[in-house]
Structure formats: structure tokens, C-alpha cells
Amino acid sequence: MKIIAVDPGKKAGWCVGNPMGESLWTSGVCSGDDPDECSRTAHEHFITNVHNPSDTHVLIEDQYFMPRGLKGAKTLIRRGAIWWVLARAQLGVPEKQIHWISPSSWQAFFRVNGDKEMIRKLACSVTKRSDVEENEADAICMAYYYAHKGVE
């Protein structure tokens, strides 16, 4: 099973890998507000590592809060939708294999509950890297959560 995980923030964190096989191919960040940059990231990193869409699961971190005002809400919805469209259109991943993951679910699983430094340390530990960025760390931890727990 291949997993693509995305934290669709202003600075979108992402990773691609097979956490059950303990291999993480690649991860990084890109501008979550620029659909063209998101598309380039998907093409450059996702398509080259995903050879069988039917064996691929895409995880998009859901928003657990709503900002004040319509503009803020639209921005959050648009960021997630960009990645959903890329998963379906560019990668051909079946809709049933695209999952919206609540941050509280994977954070509770690892007992980090929003502690950004603990999340980053956990991501550094599983990737054996020291340069993991905050949003990238969220995507990495979400992928490992899904691989070990799954979505009920």
C-alpha cells in the first residue's frame, strides 16, 4: 500500500511512502494557496512514486476549526479541495481511497495533542532526518497513523 498524506495549510506539508514497510520516499512543503505549485508537487513527487492508483490511499488533514468569516472558511475548503482534485484527476486514485483525517485522531494516537515540537520530533524519529518542517511533520505522522491504525 502506498500512502500520500497532505496537511493543506498555507504552507502545505506532504509525504509519499509506504509506512508499513517503514519506507518514506519523500516529503516536503509547498505553497498551499497556489494550485499550480500544488499541481507541480503532485506531478513531480506523487506520480513518480505511485504506479498503481488502486493500491494508493490519499490522506488529507481535515480542518477541525472554522475561522471567523466566509473568506477564511472558503480558503480552508479550497486548500483541501485542491489536493482532492489532484488525487482524483492527476493520480486517478479511487474516491473511496481518499480520506479526510481529523488532526485530533492522529494526534491522540501518538499522544502529542497539538504539541508541534513533539510532532516534529516524532516525524524526525520515524524518517531518521533532523530537518523536518512543522507542516511536513503533520503529514508524516498522519501517514504513519493511517498505516498502523487505518480509518474506521
Side-chain angles (χ1 to χ4, degrees), residues 47-62:
I47 292 174
T48 57
N49 287 305
V50 174
H51 305 289
N52 183 2
S54 65
D55 190 36
T56 301
H57 289 257
V58 176
L59 316 176
I60 303 170
E61 190 175 65
D62 205 354

Side-chain angles (χ1 to χ4, degrees), residues 38-132:
C38 294
S39 180
R40 282 190 301 276
T41 297
H43 185 74
E44 188 176 323
H45 297 287
F46 302 170
I47 292 174
T48 57
N49 287 305
V50 174
H51 305 289
N52 183 2
S54 65
D55 190 36
T56 301
H57 289 257
V58 176
L59 316 176
I60 303 170
E61 190 175 65
D62 205 354
Q63 302 300 327
Y64 57 95
F65 68 93
M66 269 304 183
R68 292 186 190 148
L70 185 58
K71 184 178 178 187
K74 284 182 178 180
T75 299
L76 293 179
I77 292 166
R78 187 188 74 230
R79 287 178 186 155
I82 288 169
W83 293 104
W84 189 92
V85 168
L86 291 173
R88 291 287 292 135
Q90 277 196 324
L91 299 176
V93 174
E95 185 172 0
K96 68 181 181 182
Q97 291 169 209
I98 301 173
H99 310 283
W100 295 89
I101 308 290
S102 164
S104 59
S105 61
W106 67 261
Q107 290 176 11
F109 180 77
F110 290 114
R111 296 183 175 96
V112 294
N113 298 321
D115 184 330
K116 293 296 187 182
E117 188 54 29
M118 282 180 65
I119 293 167
R120 200 185 74 69
K121 285 179 181 177
L122 177 61
C124 288
S125 167
V126 298
T127 61
K128 298 179 180 32
R129 290 177 32 213
S130 61
D131 62 342
V132 175

